[in-house]
């Protein structure tokens, strides 16, 4: 999986729970990412050449941020969620159909999905990590909370195929 490019599509799902109360400075804590630097994959259009090629993070406002560097081109389509609730489990799905990526929160498509084309993930053969996001090949702000079942498949799933689906 570490070197898979997922050019025909993918679905990444996970369950998250933030503690209540959610105290302290946890801005830009990592949830998951592929290790490696975007610049090493030939990607220079994003915030920094040192960020990973794909990551799910939590901003200081508790918004989920999913940023990915697709295989073709030099872009970093980024999706943003609403504020993540505290004290309860939340399901997050990132679905790419080989053309675009859509983030779902608790089964609902979020509004701030990237409109840029996005095919695959520019992985560098380095490990996939859960519970943190590396920057310049170093881990900093780990995840403060709980991460539940996580699944990655090499195709786009419909919401009725998510881990939350009933009557399968």
């Amino acid at each position: 999986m570490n070197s898979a490019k997922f050019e025909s599509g993918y679905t990444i799902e996970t369950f998250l729970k933030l503690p209540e109360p959610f105290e302290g400075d946890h801005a830009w804590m990592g949830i998951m990412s592929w290790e490696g630097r975007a610049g090493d994959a030939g990607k220079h259009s994003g915030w920094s050449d040192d960020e990973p090629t794909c990551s799910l993070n939590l901003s200081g406002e508790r918004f989920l941020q999913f940023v990915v560097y697709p295989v073709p081109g030099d872009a970093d389509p980024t999706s943003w969620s609403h504020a993540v609730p505290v004290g309860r489990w939340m399901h997050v799905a990132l679905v790419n159909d080989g053309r675009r990526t859509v983030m779902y929160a608790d089964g609902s498509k979020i509004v701030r999905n990237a409109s840029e084309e996005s095919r695959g993930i520019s992985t560098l053969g380095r490990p996939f990590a859960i519970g943190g996001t590396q920057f310049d090949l170093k881990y900093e702000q780990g995840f403060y909370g709980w991460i539940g079942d996580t699944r990655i498949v090499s195709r786009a799933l419909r919401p009725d195929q998510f881990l939350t689906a009933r009557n399968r």
Side-chain angles (χ1 to χ4, degrees), residues 29-155:
M29 64 180 178
I31 299 167
M32 61 180 68
S33 71
W34 264 272
E35 292 184 352
R37 294 182 289 227
D40 293 342
K43 310 299 178 177
H44 306 285
S45 65
W47 178 69
S48 170
D49 285 2
D50 292 326
E51 70 179 324
T53 58
C54 177
S55 64
L56 179 62
N57 310 289
L58 194 78
S59 75
E61 296 82 19
R62 295 193 339 262
F63 297 157
L64 291 173
Q65 176 209 44
F66 179 69
V67 60
V68 62
Y69 286 85
V71 174
D74 186 8
D76 64 335
T78 304
S79 297
W80 294 89
S81 78
H82 57 283
V84 172
V86 297
R88 73 167 183 85
W89 284 99
M90 175 183 183
H91 175 260
V92 178
L94 306 153
V95 180
N96 178 279
D97 64 3
R99 296 182 318 262
R100 302 239 182 310
T101 303
V102 174
M103 181 190 296
Y104 291 84
D106 289 331
S108 296
K109 188 186 301 187
I110 64 158
V111 176
R112 297 189 305 168
N113 280 303
S115 60
E116 294 173 89
E117 185 173 330
S118 181
R119 182 167 47 92
I121 301 171
S122 294
T123 56
L124 296 165
R126 297 182 59 100
F128 175 78
I130 297 176
T133 297
Q134 60 86 53
F135 183 84
D136 195 17
L137 305 179
K138 297 178 215 86
Y139 286 90
E140 295 174 5
Q141 186 77 288
F143 187 72
Y144 173 66
W146 295 269
I147 299 175
D149 291 346
T150 300
R151 171 171 76 164
I152 301 172
V153 297
S154 59
R155 61 188 168 82

Side-chain angles (χ1 to χ4, degrees), residues 11-13 23 69 81 96:
T11 300
I12 303 171
E13 292 182 86
E23 299 174 326
Y69 286 85
S81 78
N96 178 279

